[in-house]
Amino acid sequence: MTDINKTIDIIFGRWKSQILYAGAKTGIFDYLSTDPKDVSQIAKDLELDEAMTYRILRALASLGYLKEEKNERKFSISPEGEFLKKDHPQTLQGILLLEEGPEHYQIWKHLPRMIKEGNQDAFLSEYGTKIFEYAANNSEYSKIFNEAMSSYSAMHTAMVIDALDGYDFNNISHICEIGGGQGHLSSHLHSKYDHTRGTILELEQVVNNHHTAWPTKMGLQDRCKYLKGDMFDYVPPADLYMMKMILHDWSDEECVKILSNIYKSAPEKSKVFIIEHLIPDASTSHFSKLFDIHMMCATTGRERTLEEYILILKQAGWNYVKTHYPSSKMIGVIEAIKGIN
Ligand SMILES: C[S@@+](CC[C@H](N)C(=O)[O-])C[C@H]1O[C@@H](n2cnc3c(N)ncnc32)[C@H](O)[C@@H]1O
């Protein structure tokens, strides 16, 4: 792609993601299969306007997410479209519904102003409340948020398991995942290591839905239990603390508070795994540099370099051990210990 085409593609990027959003929101991806269906049937079954339905189906086919039969007004799902079905094992539907949904769509408009003023957290500016308080009071948003986190986790869990391949879990029996969401990562680790048990510390709005979360889905509810709480107040003692996509939600000062609080409860020699995107050097183009801007809009947080995480860990009393990377290098698992390794 020449530079001008790349730029045109980026300028119209939001059109494409909004077209995908409409496909998911109207139920088109979940409804269609590889067996072509007539537009009138699709519109009737999904209770949509037929003329408009044809236009959105045609646009989705043009983007490669559906297949359009020549001159027949019939559509079927493409291999790329399968990933946008709710029930696909690596579904991206949750991420699409969250990131292109109305709440997150609105916050981006604050970006130029925030850059000028040096004042982040557009969520607070737009809704008068921080993101997790907003989720606590909006069950529909909370549901979409949690499903999106499970969608992200479907990608991340595989990367964490890849990064920790060969790691010695023998001395680890109790794993506490802080802000573990629907428990995708914890459940898959407990399923891999049958001597471990776990606690997932989460906010009320997440714990209330624990019966539909991954520990129950995977039959691990006796070994992996939810604990309602606030990581700024109390975390239970454990051999290993995991935090995946948690510290990037918070400022450096807030991260030091969270890590210091864990340190207070942590037994000597316990470990912490911080699982995050890590910003690489200036010459490397990386998704983390874009995710950082999303964090600027949605929270008080940021994406960080490894050195920045090591500094925060040190300020909270933890000793850095090493970083484990999956082969994709998309994320890193930063390991630290209370005391000496
Ligand atoms: C970005 S999500 C990450 C979820 C999960 N770790 C993952 O990677 O899929 C942040 C999580 O932190 C939880 N959380 C936010 N504030 C918290 C607090 N004060 N105490 C415990 N959990 C909190 C949220 O409910 C949410 O599930």
Side-chain angles (χ1 to χ4, degrees), residues 132 135 145-146 148-153 156 177-185 201-203 205-206 229-233 243-246 248-250 258 275 295:
F132 297 117
F145 184 93
N146 292 333
M149 293 308 123
S150 271
S151 263
Y152 277 117
S153 282
H156 293 151
E177 186 174 6
I178 297 169
Q182 296 191 323
H184 191 279
L185 174 62
L201 181 87
E202 257 295 353
L203 297 175
Q205 67 261 26
V206 178
D230 181 341
M231 63 192 171
F232 286 95
D233 289 342
M243 279 183 285
K244 180 170 88 60
M245 307 294 142
I246 299 299
H248 78 164
D249 292 335
W250 304 95
I258 297 166
I275 302 152
M295 300 323 291

Side-chain angles (χ1 to χ4, degrees), residues 92 94-96 98-100 104 107-108 111 114 120-122 131-132 141 145 148-153 155-156 159 244-250 275-280 284-305 309 329-332:
L92 299 173
I95 299 179
L96 175 61
L98 179 72
E99 305 302 2
E100 284 303 294
H104 286 207
I107 58 179
W108 282 91
L111 186 55
M114 291 191 306
Q120 74 178 79
D121 197 349
I131 190 165
F132 297 117
Y141 175 76
F145 184 93
M149 293 308 123
S150 271
S151 263
Y152 277 117
S153 282
M155 292 189 271
H156 293 151
M159 292 181 205
K244 180 170 88 60
M245 307 294 142
I246 299 299
L247 295 185
H248 78 164
D249 292 335
W250 304 95
I275 302 152
E276 293 284 356
H277 296 118
L278 294 177
I279 297 205
T284 310
S285 179
H286 197 270
F287 186 54
S288 57
K289 296 180 186 180
L290 308 187
F291 218 107
D292 181 50
I293 306 305
H294 171 56
M295 300 323 291
M296 188 194 285
C297 291
T299 67
T300 53
R302 59 186 305 154
E303 301 296 344
R304 298 179 172 87
T305 62
Y309 277 114
K329 292 263 166 106
M330 182 68 130
I331 56 167

